[in-house]
Each structure stands twice: as structure tokens, then as C-alpha cells.
């Protein structure tokens, strides 16, 4: 008799244990917040390794806890995860997330104890919601000023600085019983393309890439239980495939050279770097064969996840994907679930609610404090929210008005059809009041440079502020999280 005749078969015609193992290798997103849809219930019941939540799944804290409880009622060891980097990248604003300023501001302050306090607050909040895995912190180094995606999500360009803050973040998160995940291996900071929008390539030679591995090496040494791969091609490492799909990078470099034995999870497969070049289903199969343990299908349409699942099962049936590889991956996921799937039973309260604003203030004031400009007209120029990330509605004008009720302002979130009329209207509304012009990543968005310069010609006394990376302003927030902007507003208002 064959092995199949001796073994109970799952719904896909594979041995039940192999069907369950294949499902362990998937992390799924979904639409809705009030209940778990039936297709997701089936996936969880068959062994789904993880569920990733987004803003679309969040209404308030009580609703999130009901949702995570419902998921675990179906299968107690399903991991519930979320992107939770702090700063302007987060999905839990409506659920009362702690305000922390994001990694770059923390790197500017360079106080690992303060970073640990911020990470502890984020992790404690997750524990109270029943979310037990955070796809953070970012370990990418910010090499290029024209990199469109890492920017203030990074701790900085110095690998030793990034390493000490990664250790602080991971250790604090682990102490709360929450799984952390350093990303995006082996680094996304040397590219000029956002992998959400297309295939990113890092053209640097082999010897230049070693510096990017140091933060990941520090994360591994700190016991990080998960790493996330980058959809980036490194010709010096593997000229044919992005890291997510590369056996050389995931196997030889990560497993052998860095000695990582935790769960390696892919970045989301619907990102265009994978979806447009390979397709999500082929991406899932190739990533798992290359050494990934889990693949994320974050899109809300569960049909895409089912298509990826079916491609993996078909590859197992035909022998294209080795059973041993899936069982190895599923084994790592089971170990992760054994440590983190059940929310901590200790009281998650008691985090330091002031850590985030302290960090933001210290970052903003690190280069000195200019004279206050009370009653100013604030022009806030910033790009439209990134479609693949989250914007919680934070804006400089709201924070400025809270700090100085006499302030007025104009927000501009994209290139306008008639910039001359816009400038004329701003100057007229401002009148004799002080003018503040804030830009965010103006080097990537020339329309901001044009408006800023046109306003400076009309008002040479205008105060320049940067709300992304430093670009010559007298103040820099180092990010657009709520506390980043609040700290800038306080300085402008003289508080």
C-alpha cells in the first residue's frame, strides 16, 4: 500500500498533516471588522498560520479584542499580527494606540532605554488587544536620500546605531510576550524604487552590502523570532531573483551565514514587485521553495489567498514543492505559535504613556530651538498617503492649532493645477502674520519645492520646517506621526 492509503486525507487530497502544514505557511488579510468571514474561518480551521490586521479591520479596542478572540475560538494557535512600527506607520489609531515617533526620531535621540520604553508601550497595547505579533522593527539602513520607502521608518544610516536600537526594541517587545519581526532582509535602503510599486534593485557590489547585514545580525543575536524578506533584487547576491524568492539569499546568507533559525516571513505578495513579475500564486510557491516559512497575502480579497494556497497544494501534489520543505517551515511556525499565539495573561496596562512625546520632543529640539512664531499661518505641504501603508489622519495644522489657537493654516497634499493662484491666496490669507512653510520629502516631490520657493520669494521671512527627513529647515520632526508633529508645533508656539 502507498503512504496515501495509510494516511487520512485532507480536503485537497493530500495527507491531512501535509494539508495542515501548507496552511501553516500562509498569513492572510481580510476585509471587515465585526466578524470573521466564512472563507477565512475555513482557512483558520485547516491550520492557517497567521492573520494580519489592517486599518480596515479596526474600529475600537473592544471590537479588536472581540475579533481576535473569535479567531482563536476557531483555532487557538493562530498568530494574529499587524504592522506596528510607530510614527506615521500604524493601523491602531482608532483602538487607542500609544503615540510614539517612529524609528528615525528615536535614532536621532539615540537613547536605547527610551526606544525600549516606546517599544514596550506598543507591545503592551497589542497584548491588550489580543494581537501577538508585530511586523516591526525596521532594520533597513537609510542609504539614499532618493529612496522612496525606507526614509523615517529607519533608525538611520549608521549600522551600529541601528543595531543597538533594534536590540532595545526586540528585547522590550519580547518581555511583553509579543513576537517582533525585523525587516526587510537583507535591506531595502539602497534602492530608488518602492517595491510596493515595482521591482526594486540594489546595484551595489558585494563588499558594499555587508554593512546592511549588521542590524539584522544584531536582531538575530537579540533573539528576534521573525525576519521579513525584501522584494529587492541584489545582483551581487543573486542576479535572477528578488530576496523573497532567492534560495541563495534566504538559505545561504540568512540561514547559514547569519544562523537565523526563526520564522522567515515574506513581505506581502500582492506588492507589484512580486505580483506584476511573477503573480501572487507563483510567488507563494517560489518563496516557500526558496526558504520562506510563511508568505503574507495581505490583500482583503480572500480569493487571492485561496489562489495562493491552491498553488502551494498543487505544487505539493505534483512534487514541484518538496514535502520536507513545507514540513520544515510548518515546524518553525508551530514553535512560534507555541510561544506567542496565546495573548499574555498579565495585565497589559502600565506602559509609559509619556515615552513617545518625550522622544519626539528630544528629537525636534536636538538641533536647537528657533524663536516662537505665535499666530502664524502654517502651510503644510505633504504627499498623498502611501497606498500600501497607513495614515491615521495626523496633520501639522491640527497640532499647531492645539498648541496655539491663534494659528491659521493651509494644507496641500498634492500638485495643484494653478500654483500661482495658490501662492497668491496663501500670501493674502497670511497677511502680516508669521508664515511657516512645512514640507515632507520635498526632494521626492518637486511640486513642494516649487511652492516652497515661490512662497519664500514672496515672504523671505518665512520659517521653513521639515516633517520628513532634514532638508534645510530650522526645525525637523523626523516623521509625520502625531507626536512628531505635536513636538514641532510646541516649539513653533513657544511652549
Amino acid at each position: 500500500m502507498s503512504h496515501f492509503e495509510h494516511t487520512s486525507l485532507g480536503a485537497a487530497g493530500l495527507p491531512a498533516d501535509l494539508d495542515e502544514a501548507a496552511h501553516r505557511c500562509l498569513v492572510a488579510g481580510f476585509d471587515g471588522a465585526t466578524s470573521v468571514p466564512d472563507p477565512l474561518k475555513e482557512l483558520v480551521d485547516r491550520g492557517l498560520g497567521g492573520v494580519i490586521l489592517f486599518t480596515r479591520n479596526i474600529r475600537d479596542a473592544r471590537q479588536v479584542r472581540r475579533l481576535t478572540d473569535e479567531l482563536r475560538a476557531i483555532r487557538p494557535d493562530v498568530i494574529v499580527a499587524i504592522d506596528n512600527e510607530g510614527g506615521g506607520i500604524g493601523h491602531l489609531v482608532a483602538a487607542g494606540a500609544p503615540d510614539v515617533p517612529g524609528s528615525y526620531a528615536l535614532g536621532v535621540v539615540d537613547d536605547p532605554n527610551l526606544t525600549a520604553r516606546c517599544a514596550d508601550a506598543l507591545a503592551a497595547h497589542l497584548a491588550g488587544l489580543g494581537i501577538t505579533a508585530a511586523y516591526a522593527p525596521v532594520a533597513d539602513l537609510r542609504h539614499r536620500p532618493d529612496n522612496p520607502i525606507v526614509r523615517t521608518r529607519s533608525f538611520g544610516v549608521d549600522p551600529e546605531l541601528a543595531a543597538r536600537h533594534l536590540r532595545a526594541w526586540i528585547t522590550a517587545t519580547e518581555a511583553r510576550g509579543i513576537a517582533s519581526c525585523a525587516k526587510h532582509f537583507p535591506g531595502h535602503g539602497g534602492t530608488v524604487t518602492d517595491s510596493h510599486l515595482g521591482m526594486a534593485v540594489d546595484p551595489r557590489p558585494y563588499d558594499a552590502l555587508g554593512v546592511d547585514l549588521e542590524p539584522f545580525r544584531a536582531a538575530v543575536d537579540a533573539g528576534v523570532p521573525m525576519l521579513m524578506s525584501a522584494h529587492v533584487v541584489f545582483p551581487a547576491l543573486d542576479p535572477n531573483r528578488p530576496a523573497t524568492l532567492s534560495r541563495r539569499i534566504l538559505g545561504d546568507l540568512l540561514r547559514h551565514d547569519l544562523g537565523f533559525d526563526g520564522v522567515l516571513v515574506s513581505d506581502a505578495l500582492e506588492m507589484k514587485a512580486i505580483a506584476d513579475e511573477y503573480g501572487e500564486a507563483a510567488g507563494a510557491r517560489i518563496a516557500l521553495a526558496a526558504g520562506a516559512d510563511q508568505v503574507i497575502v495581505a490583500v482583503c480579497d480572500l480569493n487571492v489567498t485561496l489562489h495562493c494556497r491552491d498553488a502551494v497544494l498543487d505544487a505539493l501534489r505534483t512534487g514541484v514543492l518538496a514535502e520536507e520543505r513545507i514540513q520544515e517551515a510548518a515546524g518553525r511556525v508551530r514553535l512560534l505559535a507555541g510561544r506567542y499565539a496565546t495573548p499574555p495573561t498579565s495585565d497589559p496596562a502600565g506602559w509609559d504613556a509619556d515615552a513617545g512625546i518625550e522622544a519626539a520632543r528630544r528629537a525636534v529640539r536636538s538641533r536647537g530651538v528657533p524663536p516662537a512664531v505665535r499666530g502664524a499661518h502654517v502651510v503644510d505641504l505633504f504627499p498623498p498617503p502611501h497606498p500600501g501603508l497607513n495614515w491615521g489622519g495626523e496633520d501639522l495644522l491640527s497640532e499647531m492649532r492645539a498648541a496655539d489657537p491663534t494659528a491659521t493654516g493651509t494644507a496641500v497634499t498634492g500638485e495643484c493645477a494653478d500654483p500661482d493662484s495658490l501662492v497668491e491666496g496663501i500670501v493674502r490669507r497670511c497677511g502680516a502674520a508669521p508664515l511657516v512653510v512645512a514640507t515632507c520629502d520635498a526632494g521626492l516631490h518637486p511640486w513642494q519645492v516649487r511652492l516652497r520657493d515661490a512662497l519664500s520669494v514672496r515672504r523671505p521671512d518665512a520659517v521653513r520646517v521639515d516633517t520628513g527627513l532634514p532638508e534645510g529647515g530650522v526645525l525637523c520632526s523626523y516623521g509625520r506621526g502625531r507626536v512628531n508633529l505635536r513636538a514641532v508645533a510646541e516649539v513653533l508656539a513657544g511652549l
Side-chain angles (χ1 to χ4, degrees):
M1 284 189 176
S2 70
H3 169 77
F4 286 82
E5 289 173 301
H6 280 295
T7 308
S8 62
L9 299 182
L14 292 171
D17 67 324
L18 186 56
D19 182 83
E20 185 263 351
H23 282 80
R24 290 274 185 178
C25 297
L26 296 171
V27 178
F30 68 102
D31 198 11
T34 56
S35 62
V36 180
D38 289 339
L40 183 60
K41 289 179 181 178
E42 180 195 354
L43 286 167
V44 174
D45 187 58
R46 286 176 65 175
L48 184 71
V51 173
I52 181 170
L53 303 182
F54 287 90
T55 306
R56 62 179 181 255
N57 307 119
I58 310 301
R59 297 293 179 271
D60 55 54
R62 292 181 64 184
Q63 166 267 322
V64 175
R65 187 64 202 226
R66 286 194 300 269
L67 186 64
T68 59
D69 286 347
E70 183 182 359
L71 286 164
R72 290 195 179 85
I74 302 167
R75 190 179 183 97
D77 62 354
V78 64
I79 290 284
V80 183
I82 197 165
D83 287 321
N84 205 44
E85 301 173 18
I89 312 299
H91 299 277
L92 293 167
V93 172
D99 283 326
V100 302
S103 296
Y104 200 85
L106 294 173
V108 169
V109 177
D110 196 14
D111 180 348
N113 289 328
L114 184 55
T115 293
R117 287 162 55 199
C118 290
D120 174 75
L122 292 173
H125 181 244
L126 293 186
L129 298 175
I131 300 171
T132 54
Y135 294 131
V138 169
D140 306 317
L141 297 178
R142 190 196 64 79
H143 288 301
R144 301 184 59 114
D146 52 354
N147 178 287
I149 189 63
V150 172
R151 308 198 70 75
T152 59
R153 300 168 68 193
S154 167
F155 286 109
V157 68
D158 181 351
E160 293 183 2
L161 180 147
R164 58 180 170 264
H165 288 275
L166 284 160
R167 285 191 291 266
W169 186 297
I170 291 162
T171 301
T173 304
E174 175 71 21
R176 286 285 185 175
I178 302 298
S180 56
C181 178
K183 58 187 185 183
H184 308 79
F185 184 83
H188 206 322
T191 73
V192 295
T193 301
D194 175 358
S195 54
H196 292 85
L197 306 177
M199 185 61 74
V201 178
D202 189 329
R204 290 177 294 161
Y206 180 86
D207 291 345
L209 298 174
V211 66
D212 292 76
L213 297 181
E214 294 311 306
F216 291 99
R217 198 181 306 274
V220 172
D221 291 344
V224 71
M226 291 189 290
L227 289 180
M228 181 182 289
S229 64
H231 300 332
V232 175
V233 174
F234 297 85
L237 301 176
D238 185 339
N240 298 315
R241 285 184 171 171
T244 293
L245 309 182
S246 170
R247 185 176 283 108
R248 294 183 189 178
I249 295 174
L250 303 187
D252 297 346
L253 184 58
L254 179 59
R255 298 297 187 189
H256 184 267
D257 293 356
L258 267 66
F260 179 64
D261 196 37
V263 169
L264 175 63
V265 60
S266 79
D267 211 340
L269 296 180
E270 71 272 11
M271 293 166 62
K272 291 185 181 298
I274 300 298
D276 285 1
E277 298 289 331
Y278 299 89
E280 295 93 335
R285 172 179 55 78
I286 299 170
L288 293 172
D293 300 309
Q294 287 189 315
V295 292
I296 297 177
V297 189
V299 65
C300 60
D301 183 357
L302 280 166
N303 288 321
V304 179
T305 305
L306 295 172
H307 189 43
C308 292
R309 187 273 312 272
D310 291 344
V312 172
L313 295 177
D314 288 344
L316 285 168
R317 273 192 295 266
T318 59
V320 171
L321 186 56
E323 176 180 342
E324 294 78 11
R325 168 79 272 274
I326 294 303
Q327 293 289 13
E328 175 192 48
R332 290 196 183 106
V333 176
R334 291 188 192 101
L335 289 174
L336 183 78
R339 289 178 60 187
Y340 300 104
T342 303
T345 56
S346 59
D347 182 2
W351 70 74
D352 185 349
D354 296 325
I357 187 60
E358 177 185 337
R361 287 168 176 159
R362 287 174 61 181
V364 166
R365 295 166 188 261
S366 63
R367 301 188 304 174
V369 177
V373 285
R374 293 191 68 83
H377 187 87
V378 179
V379 180
D380 190 14
L381 311 176
F382 59 99
H386 191 293
L389 305 175
N390 176 62
W391 181 53
E394 304 87 1
D395 70 278
L396 181 58
L397 299 186
S398 295
E399 298 301 329
M400 193 66 200
R401 286 166 179 148
D404 176 10
T406 66
T408 59
T410 303
V412 184
T413 62
E415 189 162 7
C416 64
D418 189 355
D420 292 339
S421 294
L422 176 61
V423 169
E424 185 64 36
I426 290 171
V427 171
R428 185 173 60 253
R429 286 193 295 274
C430 181
L435 178 63
V436 175
V437 181
T439 57
C440 178
D441 297 338
L444 297 179
H445 304 281
W447 63 268
Q448 292 187 43
V449 176
R450 291 192 291 270
L451 284 176
R452 181 194 67 199
D453 291 351
L455 287 166
S456 296
V457 168
R458 298 291 300 275
R459 288 288 303 268
D461 61 334
V463 176
R464 280 183 51 186
V465 174
D466 306 318
T467 63
L469 293 170
E471 294 182 303
V474 298
L475 280 177
C476 185
S477 66
Y478 305 102
R480 288 192 65 91
R482 184 172 285 107
V483 286
N484 300 90
L485 300 176
R486 184 181 308 158
V488 163
E490 289 173 349
V491 172
L492 293 172
L495 301 182

